[in-house]
Amino acid sequence: MRLHHLRMRAFGPFADEVVVDFESLAGDGLFLLHGQTGAGKTTVLDGVAFALFGRVPGARDTNRRLHSDHSSADQVPEVELEATIGGRRLRITRSPDHLRPKKRGTGTTKVNARGTLVWLDDSGPDLTRLPEIGEVVTRLLGMSADQFFQVVLLPQGEFARFLRATSEDREGLLERLFDTERFGDLEEWLRERARQSASAVAERTAAADRIAGQIVALGGADVADPDMEWAQNCLAAARTDATGCVDALTGAQAELDRVQAAHDHGARLVDARRRGDEATTRLVQLADGGAELAAITAALESGRRAAPIASVVEDRDRAAAALATAESECARLDAELAALDEGAPLCRSSAEGSLDAAIERWTAESGRWEPLAARLARRPELIADIDRIRDEMDATERRLAEMDSLLEQAPERREKAAAELAGAVAARAQLPHLHAERDRLATIARAVADREALEPEIARAEQQLLDAREQYTTARERLLDVRERRLTGMAAELAGQLVDGTPCAVCGSVEHPLPAVSDSATSIGEAQEADAVEAAQRAADTRSAAESDRAALVERRTHLDATIDGAMRDQIDAHRAQNTADLEDAERSAERTSSLAAALKAIEADIESVRVERSDADTAQAGRRERLTALRDTLGALDADVAEATGGRTGVAERRAELAELCRRAARLRDARNELVRVRQRRADALDRLAEKCAAAGFADPSEATAALTSEARLSEWEAMVLQASRIRAAAESTLADTEVRAAMAAEPVDTDALAANLASARQVRDEATSRRAVAVRRLRDLDDYVSQFWAAADVLAPMRARHDELQGLAELVSGRGQNSRRMSLRSYVLAARLTEVLVAASARLHQMSSGRYEFVHTDAVGPRGRRGGLGIEVRDEYTGAVRATTTLSGGETFFASLALALGLADVVAAESGGHVLDTIFIDEGFGALDPEALDLVMGVLDDLRSGGRVVGVVSHVDELRARIPAQLHVVRGESGSHIRMSGALGVS
């Protein structure tokens, strides 16, 4: 991978667009990235990481505040990287998630991340989907984001911690860099299999214990460790008990059969004696009721002879009743007809056919009156129509008056509604201006509040700046004093190295007459000078930070003053209150615009509707007047015709009703007289039939036959009584003739209570024996089943336990427990092998940087208090031959040990990822802890790294590196954001 250009805008501390030309910086193969603390040196590396993977390294990716606070809120943050990866040149442009002001209203809205990948060598289609871009970058680099951050962006202080970390902490980083997931999956698979096996063994053991518990519950002896022999003994005891219960049941059943036979014989004798006594009693009762039975038999015979005459008697009685009814009806109808003047002569006349002639005469007269009656029947309808039309005309006149009033008021109503609508429309037009004024006043009010709250912060920042400047002055003076005393003590150090006969390193003399003497009270060592340098640097950083904080607050106050523009809080509050009131009035009026427009349309529609209705009402009123005149003419003509026809004596309807009543009464009288003749003939016929029937049945006269008549129910009752008496007598005589009954009545009485008591006792004994047998048989059957299950469970459990012990031991072994004396898991073992490769590669560089003194040693010893081992790192000191912990190294030694370890890890990870060549790497900080000699050695290693065209970027603020590395990228901090300057062999940009 080789970087060409990086462009950033509104990203981190860079508010404006900055461009990093890596090709210019890479001309010498080594460049320096430096600047003030907090200026944004690491942000340049974050820009490279974000362009490639859409995220930044470490904890900085947690909050994701990538949008520059120095840029405007609507400025889009963007990073563009042009690079060659895997031989393919591409340009990646990304924009992170960020918030921008809403285009309408107040507040912000979230803008999602986006990105594009363009192949500058036309080797593929351009990409715009973020997952696809990430997959392509990962595939070309051959490593994940975490691997890239460790291998290419050698992080600040990360490998110093890795160098001193425990095996567990070191394992976390190695797992991110090396793919050991499959070994972890294998460990988990074995553990899961062991858990499943343990669960299966426990389930089988619990099943066997449950079966043994069932055997004990069924009567088996309870033992601590049940086995096959115990189960067999329990089964044999159950078989013996079942055999004894079967024998006891056989004896009890035989005794019950004997007692049952004796009880049945006694019951039969008692039943036979009872039946004989009952038969004797019934015969006595029949003899006592003999006379009554004879009378019932005679009445039954007479009733049977008189039964056929009953219908004829009923016909006679019905004919007599019908004759009386017909005579009464004729008399009543005769009186009704006589009550009419024209009907009385007919009632006194005996001439045949007089009624029919009168009915025909009256019917003909009624027919002559029918046409005039039909016209007269419509007279009420004519009067009703006239009244109805007169009422309609009155109502229409009233409605016309109302509509005239409405039309007179219509112009005033329409003008009022139009004025209200115009006011509402004008208020709605003022809403945007009022909203804008409200937002402007709110912004000024917030600025006033922020301005008041900012003054104490500025005072505190100025005080902190004064304190930081005093601390920096003190630390600087202390550093100058230390260096002066250090120079003073160097002569004593050189004199301490003089040996007689050996030339002086300064003057070359072999004689040393007056060597300098060290003053222990004023001598300064190298460590003290380094501490003073570090303290001065910290004070300078603190002062720079205080200056930046104060400048930011002052700039914030200036922006707020520009926003406030001299306004006072009281004025702003008064203007906001007035604006709020105006806005509420305008919003209420604007909300009524639709309803007012609808009301105006409704008023216009009502006016038009009234006009149409009034026109229709005028037309209808004219038609009613014409209709009323026609109806009045028709009624006058009808009244004139009726008066002419009747002469004024009576009405047409009254005469026709009188004629109809005469016809009706005459017709009913005629029909009643005809019915009387027919009824008299039926009565005579019924008397003749009754006389004939009585003589045929043997009765002297109808009265005798009538006395013998009885209801069919009574006859059936008498016949049933006679038949029942006959049957009772026959049954009693048959019972007394039975041999068993005669023998039972002659024998001695039987004690049935004693027989029943013996039978109940025998049944109880038999039932108890049956219950014991059933329990014993069921217990034997269940025991046989449970013993078989117990044998099957025991046969399966033994080999299962053996397999589980083997699987559990293997799972503990690969997990670093059990027989694993090194306490190393399988994954740790694989990582230990990778760590060994890393230490071999790192030892070569450590050997070079330490002038052949140190090299790394891998140790797999167990940690303190039994903690896991396998990933330990130690160093071998070639000067002493001792192997010691990395925590014993000095600060400078720790730096180049960490650097060697990082470079070795980068080589191994690159090889692990498919051997991809990493043409560009960055090393972040740590050079301040080196003395000049150590710095020369480290620079030699960096010179080796850039061989073969590799570019190395060093991130540091050490002054000496600026003199050693001509190609530099300087990040400059400013109040409005950071910017960059590049310098090299071609000058400064």
Side-chain angles (χ1 to χ4, degrees):
M1 179 195 72
R2 179 175 293 275
L3 307 180
H4 302 297
H5 303 284
L6 174 67
R7 180 179 61 83
M8 296 179 290
R9 182 181 64 221
F11 187 79
F14 301 105
D16 300 327
E17 182 174 296
V18 296
V19 178
V20 180
D21 187 356
F22 287 108
E23 290 186 345
S24 299
L25 294 173
D28 196 29
L30 180 66
F31 67 90
L32 175 66
L33 175 59
H34 67 95
Q36 296 172 307
T37 301
K41 301 186 295 297
T42 306
T43 304
V44 176
L45 308 186
D46 289 345
V48 175
F50 180 77
L52 291 174
F53 297 100
R55 47 175 289 205
V56 296
R60 298 188 299 278
D61 192 56
T62 303
N63 295 326
R64 301 285 294 176
R65 282 184 53 83
L66 301 180
H67 189 282
S68 177
D69 294 333
H70 298 282
S71 63
S72 60
D74 56 354
Q75 181 69 38
V76 178
E78 188 176 77
V79 176
E80 179 183 281
L81 176 66
E82 184 176 337
T84 299
I85 306 175
R88 304 176 67 181
R89 186 154 180 164
L90 52 85
R91 181 172 59 244
I92 302 175
T93 305
R94 287 184 186 265
S95 177
D97 295 338
H98 62 282
L99 299 176
R100 64 164 177 79
K102 291 184 177 179
K103 296 181 179 179
R104 296 182 180 87
T106 60
T108 59
T109 184
K110 182 180 179 181
V111 180
N112 294 324
R114 63 179 186 271
T116 59
L117 187 150
V118 178
W119 301 100
L120 300 179
D121 55 1
D122 297 329
S123 59
D126 297 341
L127 304 177
T128 57
R129 297 183 66 250
L130 297 180
E132 294 178 352
I133 296 173
E135 292 174 1
V136 169
V137 172
T138 302
R139 185 178 70 252
L140 292 177
L141 286 174
M143 62 183 70
S144 64
D146 289 332
Q147 290 175 324
F148 180 84
F149 297 157
Q150 295 292 338
V151 172
V152 179
L153 309 178
L154 302 184
Q156 180 176 358
E158 184 75 21
F159 283 93
R161 290 191 295 273
F162 179 78
L163 187 66
R164 297 188 176 94
T166 61
S167 292
E168 290 84 352
D169 297 335
R170 201 172 284 133
E171 182 177 356
L173 174 61
L174 294 176
E175 283 181 346
R176 293 199 304 269
L177 298 179
F178 299 106
D179 184 14
T180 59
E181 184 178 358
R182 61 186 183 279
F183 301 103
D185 293 342
L186 177 58
E187 292 178 24
E188 183 59 30
W189 181 81
L190 287 173
R191 284 194 294 270
E192 181 62 25
R193 290 296 300 273
R195 284 194 292 269
Q196 293 175 359
S197 176
S199 177
V201 169
E203 184 178 353
R204 287 288 184 179
T205 302
D209 292 341
R210 286 195 299 270
I211 295 170
Q214 294 292 341
I215 294 175
V216 172
L218 290 173
D222 191 4
V223 295
D225 188 13
D227 55 9
M228 298 289 192
E229 183 179 359
W230 166 79
Q232 189 62 40
N233 292 337
C234 292
L235 185 60
R239 286 198 180 100
T240 302
D241 183 47
T243 302
C245 290
V246 170
D247 295 340
L249 177 61
T250 302
Q253 185 63 44
E255 178 63 17
L256 176 62
D257 293 342
R258 184 188 66 76
V259 175
Q260 182 71 48
H263 178 273
D264 293 344
H265 178 68
R268 285 194 298 272
L269 289 177
V270 171
D271 182 67
R273 179 181 288 277
R274 179 188 57 76
R275 289 191 288 115
D277 293 340
E278 292 176 352
T280 302
T281 301
R282 286 194 290 270
L283 289 176
V284 172
Q285 292 174 348
L286 288 175
D288 294 341
E292 182 181 359
L293 183 62
I296 290 174
T297 303
L300 177 63
E301 189 272 335
S302 298
R304 289 300 181 191
R305 286 190 294 112
I309 304 174
S311 60
V312 181
V313 173
E314 291 177 356
D315 290 343
R316 181 201 64 183
D317 295 341
R318 283 195 298 273
L323 178 61
T325 301
E327 291 175 348
S328 175
E329 181 69 13
C330 281
R332 185 182 66 80
L333 294 175
D334 191 85
E336 285 184 356
L337 183 60
L340 299 177
D341 294 339
E342 296 183 45
L346 292 175
C347 295
R348 292 189 296 271
S349 175
S350 59
E352 184 177 359
S354 59
L355 289 176
D356 292 335
I359 291 172
E360 290 178 359
R361 185 177 66 254
W362 293 333
T363 301
E365 183 181 355
S366 178
R368 290 194 300 272
W369 288 89
E370 184 174 0
L372 186 59
R375 291 178 58 198
L376 189 62
R378 292 188 64 251
R379 189 176 189 280
E381 182 180 352
L382 290 173
I383 295 174
D385 289 344
I386 292 171
D387 294 339
R388 178 179 55 78
I389 292 174
R390 186 183 296 114
D391 292 341
E392 290 177 356
M393 291 178 67
D394 293 341
T396 302
E397 289 297 332
R398 288 193 298 273
R399 178 58 182 162
L400 287 172
E402 292 176 0
M403 287 187 288
D404 291 339
S405 177
L406 289 175
L407 291 176
E408 290 176 359
Q409 299 172 1
E412 182 180 356
R413 290 177 57 203
R414 180 166 50 196
E415 290 175 1
K416 181 179 179 181
E420 292 180 354
L421 177 60
V425 171
R428 184 173 61 183
Q430 287 296 320
L431 281 177
H433 172 70
L434 292 174
H435 280 122
E437 181 65 14
R438 180 193 61 186
D439 296 341
R440 187 185 70 82
L441 292 174
T443 302
I444 295 175
R446 288 195 299 270
V448 170
D450 294 344
R451 177 66 168 80
E452 293 174 353
L454 195 61
E455 286 298 331
E457 296 184 12
I458 293 176
R460 285 194 298 270
E462 290 177 347
Q463 184 61 43
Q464 291 173 358
L465 177 58
L466 291 176
D467 295 342
R469 286 174 176 173
E470 291 178 1
Q471 293 174 2
Y472 174 72
T473 302
T474 303
R476 187 65 179 172
E477 291 175 354
R478 168 64 178 164
L479 175 60
L480 295 176
D481 181 63
V482 168
R483 284 181 173 173
E484 183 178 357
R485 292 166 61 188
R486 171 68 172 156
L487 293 174
T488 303
M490 284 184 179
E493 292 180 9
L494 294 175
Q497 298 174 2
L498 295 176
V499 180
D500 293 337
T502 302
C504 175
V506 179
C507 62
S509 173
V510 296
E511 294 180 358
H512 316 297
L514 189 59
V517 180
S518 173
D519 185 358
S520 59
T522 60
S523 62
I524 296 298
E526 181 181 355
Q528 292 173 303
E529 183 182 5
D531 292 341
V533 171
E534 184 177 359
Q537 183 62 43
R538 286 198 302 270
D541 294 341
T542 303
R543 183 192 62 181
S544 299
E547 291 174 348
S548 299
D549 294 341
R550 178 188 174 279
L553 292 174
V554 171
E555 182 180 1
R556 173 63 175 164
R557 182 175 62 186
T558 302
H559 291 327
L560 293 176
D561 290 340
T563 302
I564 296 170
D565 194 19
M568 302 301 292
R569 175 181 288 275
D570 295 340
Q571 297 175 351
I572 294 300
D573 293 340
H575 291 167
R576 292 186 71 187
Q578 181 62 39
N579 173 260
T580 300
D582 294 343
L583 184 60
E584 290 177 353
D585 294 341
E587 287 177 345
R588 283 194 297 269
S589 300
E591 289 175 355
R592 297 180 59 229
T593 302
S594 300
S595 60
L596 290 175
L600 179 60
K601 291 181 180 179
I603 291 173
E604 293 175 348
D606 289 344
I607 294 172
E608 182 62 26
S609 175
V610 169
R611 287 174 178 169
V612 173
E613 183 181 357
R614 194 186 188 294
S615 175
D616 295 342
D618 288 337
T619 303
Q621 194 75 336
R624 292 189 189 97
R625 292 191 186 96
E626 295 177 359
R627 176 64 177 161
L628 180 61
T629 301
L631 289 175
R632 285 174 176 171
D633 294 343
T634 302
L635 180 62
L638 177 62
D639 291 341
D641 292 342
V642 171
E644 181 181 358
T646 60
R649 296 187 305 272
T650 183
V652 174
E654 289 80 357
R655 178 57 182 165
R656 294 190 74 228
E658 182 181 3
L659 292 173
E661 184 64 19
L662 285 170
C663 291
R664 184 182 66 81
R665 293 185 182 184
R668 292 179 63 188
L669 178 59
R670 179 191 60 190
D671 295 340
R673 288 177 179 177
N674 294 335
E675 179 64 18
L676 179 60
V677 172
R678 289 193 295 273
V679 170
R680 286 173 178 171
Q681 184 62 40
R682 284 201 304 273
R683 182 174 178 275
D685 295 341
L687 290 175
D688 295 341
R689 287 196 304 274
L690 178 60
E692 293 175 0
K693 289 287 183 179
C694 288
F699 293 104
D701 52 29
S703 60
E704 182 181 358
T706 304
L709 287 174
T710 304
S711 66
E712 186 64 29
R714 177 59 60 86
L715 291 175
S716 299
E717 182 181 355
W718 287 344
E719 187 174 5
M721 292 172 62
V722 173
L723 181 61
Q724 183 180 10
S726 176
R727 289 176 179 174
I728 291 173
R729 183 184 301 279
E733 292 174 351
S734 175
T735 299
L736 292 175
D738 189 356
T739 304
E740 184 178 357
V741 173
R742 290 200 304 270
M745 296 185 71
E748 294 292 332
V750 178
D751 189 359
T752 56
D753 294 337
L755 292 175
N758 293 336
L759 179 60
S761 177
R763 281 178 176 171
Q764 182 178 2
V765 173
R766 191 277 313 272
D767 292 342
E768 292 176 353
T770 301
S771 178
R772 287 193 298 273
R773 175 189 173 277
V775 171
V777 171
R778 185 170 61 252
R779 175 170 168 264
L780 177 60
R781 183 175 63 251
D782 293 344
L783 273 176
D784 192 12
D785 184 31
Y786 285 128
V787 168
S788 299
Q789 295 179 22
F790 185 78
W791 289 348
D795 289 341
V796 173
L797 189 57
M800 182 179 289
R801 282 176 175 167
R803 288 195 301 272
H804 170 66
D805 292 341
E806 181 181 0
L807 184 59
Q808 182 67 30
L810 183 58
E812 291 181 350
L813 182 66
V814 300
S815 298
R817 298 188 299 272
Q819 298 181 0
N820 191 333
S821 60
R822 296 185 181 274
R823 314 295 292 170
M824 290 177 61
S825 64
L826 178 61
R827 184 168 48 187
S828 297
Y829 180 80
V830 174
L831 291 177
R834 291 290 187 269
L835 180 60
T836 301
E837 298 176 6
V838 171
L839 295 182
V840 170
S843 292
R845 292 193 171 90
L846 177 60
H847 194 268
Q848 179 182 355
M849 285 187 283
S850 63
S851 302
R853 180 175 180 180
Y854 295 113
E855 66 178 0
F856 288 111
V857 177
H858 170 244
T859 174
D860 56 4
V862 178
R865 293 184 295 276
R867 299 173 66 182
R868 289 186 181 182
L871 299 178
I873 300 176
E874 295 178 342
V875 292
R876 177 182 291 108
D877 190 346
E878 296 295 344
Y879 289 0
T880 63
V883 176
R884 54 194 177 96
T886 56
T887 56
T888 62
L889 296 175
S890 66
E893 292 171 339
T894 300
F895 167 73
F896 55 67
S898 301
L899 179 59
L901 187 61
L903 296 174
L905 185 62
D907 292 340
V908 174
V909 170
E912 178 77 10
S913 302
H916 292 79
V917 178
L918 302 176
D919 296 321
T920 305
I921 63 173
F922 294 89
I923 302 174
D924 192 355
E925 286 294 353
F927 294 90
L930 303 179
D931 58 22
E933 183 181 356
L935 185 59
D936 289 337
L937 295 174
V938 171
M939 291 300 295
V941 174
L942 296 181
D943 287 337
D944 292 340
L945 287 176
R946 62 180 178 174
S947 62
R950 179 180 290 180
V951 178
V952 179
V954 177
V955 183
S956 177
H957 51 68
V958 176
D959 295 338
E960 190 170 351
L961 289 177
R962 301 179 190 178
R964 291 174 175 263
I965 304 176
Q968 298 178 10
L969 176 63
H970 185 197
V971 182
V972 182
R973 182 179 62 198
E975 294 182 358
S976 60
S978 299
H979 61 279
I980 64 172
R981 288 203 302 264
M982 291 191 301
S983 62
L986 299 179
V988 178
S989 63

